[in-house]
Amino acid sequence: MNFTVFDYTVFFLIVLAVIVVSFLGARWRKADLSKISEWSIGGRHFGSVIVWFLMGGDIYTAYSLISIPGGAFSAGGLILYATVYGAISYPFLYFVAPRLYLIAKKYNFITGADYVNARFDSRILSLLVALTGLLAMLPYIALQIVGIKYVLEAMKFPVLTSFIIAFLIVAAFTIVAGLRGPALGSVIKDVVLWGIILTVLVVLWMKFSGFGPVFSTLETSGKTVLIPDKLMLGFITLAFGNGVAWLLFPNLLTGIFGSKSARIIKKNSILLPVYQIWLMFLAIFGLVALAENLVPSGVSSLAFPSVLATYFPSTFVVIAFSGIIIGSMVPASLQALASANLITRNIYLEFFNKNAPESRQVLIGRIFVVVMIFASLLFAIVPAASGLIFYLLTMSYAWLLQTLPAIIISMYWKNLDKYSTGLGWAAGFAVVTWGLFDVHFSSSLIPTFGYMYVGIIGLAVNLAVLLVARAIVVSLKYRSTTKLQPGDYADFD
Amino acid sequence: MSLNYARRNRLILKLTLLMFIPWIALVFAAPLYNRYYPTVGGWPFLYFYLFIWIFIQPVITFVVYKFVDREAWL
């Protein structure tokens, strides 16, 4: 596809607008950015609308624009687990997150690992949780960079240079504005992405009269649009496991902790599901590509770009591309911020410099934003490593799921001790890693267990070990300690 | 005592609405709704069913917000 000068101008204007607005974030609602909670979680000032954009900006990224149609294109109905797991996540968010938020607010916690540290009075367990989070963040940031690379290549830019420039910008606005930068950037990002998806929807809806013919073409040609029977257990466990693991992502906790009150979080679990509409239609766009045979090469990640190139003029394609660029920059910035928080609070402050003043914590945080982005950049550029991203990505949800007892269950089971939780985590983590080696990282569904999702197998082992260890701990009459008060566990402001 | 009893009932109601109903309807009922027919407006049942649940689930959460937790919207 060829682009005109006008197309390029539109592209740059949109990307530039996001960058400018994100930089302005530093001045927005005047704050003392040398305070760690002001910089890293926006001082817990964010109301419903910003939290909606912030969390939505984080969950529904440019990656969904490529991977959901790609998934539908290659595996039919299995990809619909993405629309199901939201319905698990949001009520779970409603029920669980306010409790975590209120504890975090009282003690000025910034990461999930901060909570684990205080709850179990154990810096080792907190470190394990922080490292699990970091391991999960790295491939995610790298993936955003790959999204950017893809677009720049398609637009015939010198890839390596433009790519490095794009990421210097992301690093710069995260460093300057902290959470305020991406919070504002995500507003524009979502406006653009909503605009693109709704436009594509309306055009294709008219063209294919409500998509009915698309489904029937596929059905009569013998390509299934349903969930393959063989993968039913995989579908159920993926939806359930990812739905629960979702809340454990460090970058989502950043959005939750940045809220002004527990009520804001509850309201958002009602409002955020609107984004799920995207996922359903994106899956159908993938089926359009399959039914109309738009991707002769069969490369599934080309499904959505091919739909755009076939049915839309170049100017619209360019707008969509700019959407993918900013849809990658904003989440990358949020994820780098969440990782930097983990490193600063749970590694640097805890193990290297207990008495670091807040201004120093912000400085360290800023340094690690750059380090994380640079590490992911290397990941994305080095070809050997960029193959690894997708392996790590299948692991990240499964690994994060193993921190469920430490972060969530411990808020309800108040006697749960650090030894049982730690042993459970280790067992779950080992099982997940073994399972992924067993299938050579090709998928997160394990054939030996009837294509069950590896994260759920890990969680089952995790909980079994936890219960056995707990029985032993109780029989030894060990008394666990905590820095929290019994009255801290509340569900209302 | 009676206060605790009321609180427990509220908790059970909340858990049922927020977790058990969506879990059963969307996760464990998957083998039942994974079917092509009946189609609605040309959409296979699977797609239509999951699509309407995108709207049902926030409504349920709103009901909990408003009537179980009795929080004000604004």
Side-chain angles (χ1 to χ4, degrees):
Chain A
M1 179 161 249
N2 289 311
F3 301 104
T4 62
V5 177
F6 177 72
D7 297 342
Y8 282 104
T9 317
V10 170
F11 176 82
F12 279 116
L13 280 180
I14 297 176
V15 175
L16 209 67
V18 176
I19 294 167
V20 170
V21 168
S22 302
F23 273 109
L24 290 178
R27 295 156 173 267
W28 176 46
R29 290 185 185 164
K30 212 159 179 245
D32 179 4
L33 290 180
S34 67
K35 287 216 168 59
I36 183 81
S37 68
E38 288 288 344
W39 180 73
S40 61
I41 53 172
R44 296 183 221 277
H45 289 318
F46 293 138
S48 306
V49 178
I50 294 295
V51 172
W52 188 74
F53 278 117
L54 198 56
M55 295 183 70
D58 219 9
I59 311 158
Y60 305 100
T61 65
Y63 175 61
S64 11
L65 252 58
I66 301 296
S67 72
I68 304 278
F73 180 83
S74 62
L78 181 68
I79 195 67
L80 292 176
Y81 85 83
T83 65
V84 171
Y85 90 72
I88 304 298
S89 306
Y90 294 115
F92 193 61
L93 176 75
Y94 184 99
F95 192 76
V96 168
R99 188 172 275 233
L100 189 59
Y101 168 80
L102 290 171
I103 297 172
K105 190 175 182 178
K106 181 171 175 193
Y107 292 94
N108 209 9
F109 296 154
I110 286 167
T111 68
D114 282 350
Y115 159 76
V116 172
N117 192 341
R119 163 64 180 80
F120 292 97
D121 195 10
S122 163
R123 48 195 241 166
I124 300 296
L125 193 57
S126 155
L127 178 69
L128 294 178
V129 170
L131 288 177
T132 314
L134 280 175
L135 208 54
M137 283 290 88
L138 198 63
Y140 261 83
I141 305 173
L143 199 69
Q144 311 301 341
I145 305 182
V146 173
I148 292 187
K149 183 168 104 173
Y150 173 79
V151 167
L152 294 177
E153 261 168 7
M155 292 192 68
K156 306 180 182 84
F157 286 117
V159 172
L160 196 64
T161 16
S162 34
F163 197 60
I164 289 170
I165 292 169
F167 267 77
L168 285 178
I169 292 167
V170 175
F173 80 64
T174 319
I175 288 167
V176 174
L179 189 58
R180 288 151 201 273
L184 285 183
S186 62
V187 176
I188 303 187
K189 174 222 135 201
D190 280 353
V191 169
V192 174
L193 289 185
W194 272 107
I196 294 163
I197 290 175
L198 292 180
T199 311
V200 176
L201 174 65
V202 170
V203 171
L204 294 187
W205 183 282
M206 314 260 259
K207 189 163 180 62
F208 294 102
S209 32
F211 300 115
V214 174
F215 289 115
S216 51
T217 310
L218 288 171
E219 182 68 7
T220 45
S221 66
K223 288 173 186 146
T224 181
V225 294
L226 300 181
I227 307 159
D229 282 334
K230 192 178 79 168
L231 299 178
M232 189 47 88
L233 189 61
F235 177 86
I236 291 174
T237 47
L238 262 176
F240 193 66
N242 283 0
V244 174
W246 181 81
L247 187 62
L248 300 165
F249 269 91
N251 51 333
L252 275 163
L253 290 174
T254 307
I256 291 171
F257 290 167
S259 310
K260 200 162 57 184
S261 68
R263 229 171 51 130
I264 303 278
I265 300 168
K266 291 182 177 176
K267 276 165 81 170
N268 261 295
S269 47
I270 300 168
L271 298 172
L272 272 168
V274 180
Y275 280 100
Q276 298 285 106
I277 298 171
W278 286 19
L279 303 183
M280 176 57 85
F281 286 119
L282 283 171
I284 295 176
F285 299 160
L287 295 179
V288 169
L290 186 63
E292 298 294 305
N293 199 17
L294 300 180
V295 193
S297 64
V299 177
S300 62
S301 60
L302 292 177
F304 187 60
S306 309
V307 168
L308 289 178
T310 312
Y311 301 109
F312 294 89
S314 66
T315 309
F316 183 79
V317 174
V318 157
I319 295 174
F321 279 175
S322 68
I324 294 179
I325 295 258
I326 57 182
S328 308
M329 279 167 42
V330 172
S333 151
L334 283 165
Q335 289 155 355
L337 187 68
S339 320
N341 287 343
L342 286 172
I343 297 173
T344 313
R345 299 278 296 191
N346 308 110
I347 299 177
Y348 173 75
L349 197 61
E350 196 57 47
F351 291 91
F352 294 98
N353 187 354
K354 269 238 165 254
N355 303 314
E358 294 224 337
S359 58
R360 179 140 190 114
Q361 293 181 35
V362 174
L363 176 70
I364 298 289
R366 286 176 165 162
I367 292 171
F368 276 103
V369 163
V370 181
V371 172
M372 279 305 284
I373 291 181
F374 188 70
S376 328
L377 193 62
L378 281 184
F379 242 96
I381 292 175
V382 179
S386 60
L388 196 67
I389 292 173
F390 294 96
Y391 303 149
L392 280 174
L393 209 61
T394 58
M395 301 172 110
S396 55
Y397 269 89
W399 276 335
L400 275 175
L401 194 54
Q402 310 313 319
T403 61
L404 181 75
I407 299 182
I408 308 281
I409 296 179
S410 67
M411 290 193 296
Y412 296 90
W413 185 357
K414 287 162 202 155
N415 290 325
L416 185 63
D417 64 286
K418 58 184 175 186
Y419 297 108
S420 317
T421 314
L423 283 171
W425 174 87
F429 197 89
V431 168
V432 167
T433 313
W434 164 82
L436 290 162
F437 267 102
D438 194 48
V439 292
H440 308 289
F441 302 99
S442 57
S443 146
S444 52
L445 305 178
I446 309 298
T448 330
F449 290 89
Y451 292 95
M452 198 192 250
Y453 174 50
V454 68
I456 291 288
I457 304 172
L459 187 63
V461 174
N462 182 337
L463 294 176
V465 170
L466 185 147
L467 289 174
V468 171
R470 177 70 196 156
I472 297 170
V473 166
V474 170
S475 71
L476 294 174
K477 298 201 167 55
Y478 166 79
R479 286 184 64 89
S480 52
T481 52
T482 175
K483 289 179 192 156
L484 301 182
Q485 314 284 325
D488 293 344
Y489 304 95
D491 295 321
F492 298 92
D493 266 326
Chain B
M1 191 60 200
S2 65
L3 188 75
N4 278 343
Y5 192 69
R7 267 187 65 186
R8 213 187 57 197
N9 276 347
R10 248 191 19 203
L11 184 70
I12 291 171
L13 182 64
K14 214 167 139 174
L15 277 172
T16 309
L17 287 173
L18 288 177
M19 306 217 177
F20 303 137
I21 291 179
W23 284 3
I24 291 169
L26 280 162
V27 178
F28 300 107
L32 298 177
Y33 65 67
N34 182 30
R35 52 200 300 151
Y36 197 92
Y37 298 101
T39 56
V40 181
W43 287 37
F45 186 73
L46 169 68
Y47 288 75
F48 181 74
Y49 180 82
L50 292 181
F51 190 67
I52 55 169
W53 261 95
I54 295 176
F55 302 95
I56 296 173
Q57 189 264 315
V59 170
I60 294 180
T61 317
F62 180 75
V63 167
V64 172
Y65 183 86
K66 192 86 195 172
F67 300 104
V68 182
D69 282 354
R70 299 201 186 98
E71 301 248 28
W73 187 254
L74 291 169

